[in-house]
């Protein structure tokens, strides 16, 4: 598998405090990678390191196979775009003027992409409106447009939906999916809104106290958190016979409990079991959400 980002035993210390403590993670090319952790777990520190805003204390990382200590790392960083903590925008400038300024900073003379970028993030009709008069969602989208100047193929977003209203969250989700699916941009997202992140991510990395607790793909997590119906009956032996005949996917939990993974007609199943003198005592929905999975993995406490 090809990776945009790999870290190997990455450490960052601040006067004895270990912000990152041997972090090793892998962001596959083409992924939307959800980076999840509590307040102070080290998420923003990692982002600042890979963006070149700080240097690691120990360990290393590679961008597209280029090690951070190599001279080629600067060229690889030009393939990155990022919004770290808050969007870096000029409040007295229009959206177009902000993008023009970013192109000047990058040393790119051509600004042919500006109108396309504004349309991509839904800001093509803002005209002469200054950024200080934008809503929070508009500022976030402008920040992403600025990060996309220079056509990067790896986008790093630190809390992109933080503080947004429900409509803004939906717009941000649709934009990220569009960038990933239509522009083939790999996205690393640090986010607190786990329910929203579960609608986007193809891969997850869970960080706690500067260490990566687990990396898992969305498909692997779905299998582990698979939703099912837990049936409690007086005897699972006749239940097995009936479900085999009805070709229902299930697993036996105990002598009186079974998990059903197929869509079923409860009425039809109840009638079939009645003929076998098998009684359904209860039916409950089961399956972990991303939030519950995270809490089980790293424990409770205050989240960022």
């Amino acid at each position: 598998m090809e990776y945009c980002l790999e870290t190997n035993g990455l450490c960052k210390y601040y006067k004895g405090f270990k912000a990152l403590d041997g972090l090793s993670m892998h962001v596959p090319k083409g992924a939307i990678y959800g980076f999840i952790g509590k307040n102070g777990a080290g998420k923003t520190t990692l982002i600042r390191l890979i963006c070149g805003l700080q240097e690691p204390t120990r360990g290393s990382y590679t961008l597209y196979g280029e090690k951070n200590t190599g001279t080629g790392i600067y060229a690889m960083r030009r393939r990155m775009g990022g919004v770290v903590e808050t969007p870096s925008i000029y409040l007295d400038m229009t959206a177009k003027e902000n993008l023009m300024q970013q192109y000047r900073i990058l040393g790119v003379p051509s600004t042919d992409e500006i109108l396309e970028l504004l349309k991509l993030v839904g800001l093509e009709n803002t005209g002469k409106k200054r950024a200080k008069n934008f809503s929070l969602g508009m500022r976030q989208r402008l920040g992403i447009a600025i990060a996309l100047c220079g056509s990067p193929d790896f986008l790093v977003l630190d809390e992109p939906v933080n503080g947004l209203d429900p409509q803004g969250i939906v717009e941000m989700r649709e934009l990220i999916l569009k960038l990933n699916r239509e522009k083939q941009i790999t996205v690393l997202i640090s986010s607190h809104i786990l329910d929203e992140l579960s609608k986007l991510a193809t891969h997850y990395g869970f960080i706690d106290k500067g260490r990566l607790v687990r990396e898992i793909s969305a498909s692997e997590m779905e299998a582990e958190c698979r939703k099912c119906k837990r049936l409690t009956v007086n005897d699972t032996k006749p239940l097995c016979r009936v479900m085999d005949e009805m070709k229902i996917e299930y697993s036996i939990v105990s002598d009186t409990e079974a998990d059903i993974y197929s869509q079923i007609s409860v009425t039809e199943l109840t009638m079939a079991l009645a003929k076998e003198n098998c009684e359904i005592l209860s039916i409950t929905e089961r399956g972990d959400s991303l939030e519950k999975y995270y809490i089980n993995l790293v424990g409770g406490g205050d989240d960022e």
Side-chain angles (χ1 to χ4, degrees):
M1 183 178 292
E2 186 177 354
Y3 297 106
C4 280
L5 169 68
E6 292 181 87
T7 72
N8 181 28
L10 202 59
C11 298
K12 182 63 178 178
Y13 302 155
Y14 299 100
K15 295 182 180 180
F17 171 70
K18 297 180 180 180
L20 293 179
D21 187 19
L23 181 81
S24 296
M25 65 185 289
H26 311 78
V27 179
K29 184 178 179 181
I32 298 179
Y33 189 103
F35 197 36
I36 301 169
K38 298 178 184 179
N39 183 32
K43 302 188 300 298
T44 299
T45 299
L46 181 277
I47 290 173
R48 292 180 68 83
L49 289 183
I50 64 173
C51 289
L53 299 175
Q54 293 180 342
E55 291 295 325
T57 305
R58 285 209 315 266
S60 63
Y61 63 89
T62 61
L63 291 173
Y64 291 100
E66 185 68 34
K67 199 170 181 180
N68 64 295
T69 53
T71 56
I73 193 65
Y74 302 105
M76 293 302 104
R77 285 208 187 101
R78 293 184 72 87
R79 297 178 63 177
M80 291 178 61
V83 180
V84 184
E85 297 179 299
T86 57
S88 298
I89 60 179
Y90 296 96
L91 296 178
D92 286 326
M93 290 185 179
T94 66
K96 183 178 179 180
E97 288 169 345
N98 266 278
L99 296 188
M100 291 176 67
Q101 181 65 18
Q102 182 64 13
Y103 274 104
R104 292 190 192 102
I105 292 170
L106 293 174
V108 180
S110 173
T111 56
D112 295 339
E113 295 180 347
I114 285 180
L115 292 180
E116 181 184 344
L117 280 177
L118 290 175
K119 187 175 181 180
L120 182 65
V121 299
L123 296 176
E124 70 274 23
N125 296 319
T126 54
K128 295 183 179 180
K129 187 175 184 178
R130 295 182 179 183
K132 65 183 178 182
N133 297 318
F134 284 6
S135 67
L136 181 58
M138 292 170 69
R139 291 185 189 184
Q140 291 282 57
R141 284 183 277 131
L142 177 56
I144 290 180
I146 292 170
L148 291 172
C149 290
S151 302
D153 50 12
F154 182 28
L155 188 60
V156 180
L157 303 176
D158 191 10
E159 305 293 348
V161 299
N162 196 27
L164 298 186
D165 60 22
Q167 180 62 33
I169 290 174
V170 171
E171 291 173 355
M172 184 60 64
R173 181 207 313 159
E174 291 175 349
L175 174 58
I176 292 169
L177 288 172
K178 186 175 184 179
L179 293 172
N180 178 253
R181 293 171 180 175
E182 296 183 15
K183 303 293 184 179
Q184 286 76 54
I185 294 176
T186 304
V187 187
L188 170 63
I189 306 175
S190 163
S191 180
H192 295 149
I193 305 179
L194 302 190
D195 180 59
E196 182 61 28
L197 195 57
S198 68
K199 299 172 185 174
L200 289 168
T202 61
H203 296 75
Y204 298 97
F206 297 90
I207 184 174
D208 188 43
K209 298 177 182 177
R211 290 180 174 271
L212 201 72
V213 179
R214 184 159 194 201
E215 276 187 319
I216 188 171
S217 70
S219 58
E220 290 170 333
M221 180 178 291
E222 186 178 343
E224 290 191 19
C225 303
R226 193 176 180 188
K227 293 187 181 298
C228 65
K229 290 181 174 62
R230 173 68 58 88
L231 259 65
T232 303
V233 295
N234 57 348
D235 187 359
T236 55
K237 291 179 181 178
L239 177 66
C240 291
R241 290 197 298 270
V242 169
M243 290 196 292
D244 286 340
E245 290 174 3
M246 297 177 68
K247 297 182 180 178
I248 294 172
E249 185 181 358
Y250 68 94
S251 63
I252 297 300
V253 179
S254 68
D255 291 341
T256 58
E257 292 179 314
D259 288 337
I260 294 181
Y261 302 101
S262 305
Q263 290 291 329
I264 62 169
S265 166
V266 176
T267 301
E268 185 180 345
L269 179 61
T270 302
M271 292 176 64
L273 290 174
K275 295 177 182 178
E276 298 285 338
N277 295 317
C278 182
E279 180 183 359
I280 297 178
L281 303 177
S282 68
I283 302 177
T284 55
E285 295 282 347
R286 294 179 61 84
D288 288 348
S289 64
L290 176 58
E291 185 177 52
K292 188 174 180 181
Y293 182 91
Y294 162 73
I295 291 172
N296 289 338
L297 192 64
V298 302
D302 294 333
D303 197 17
E304 275 185 349

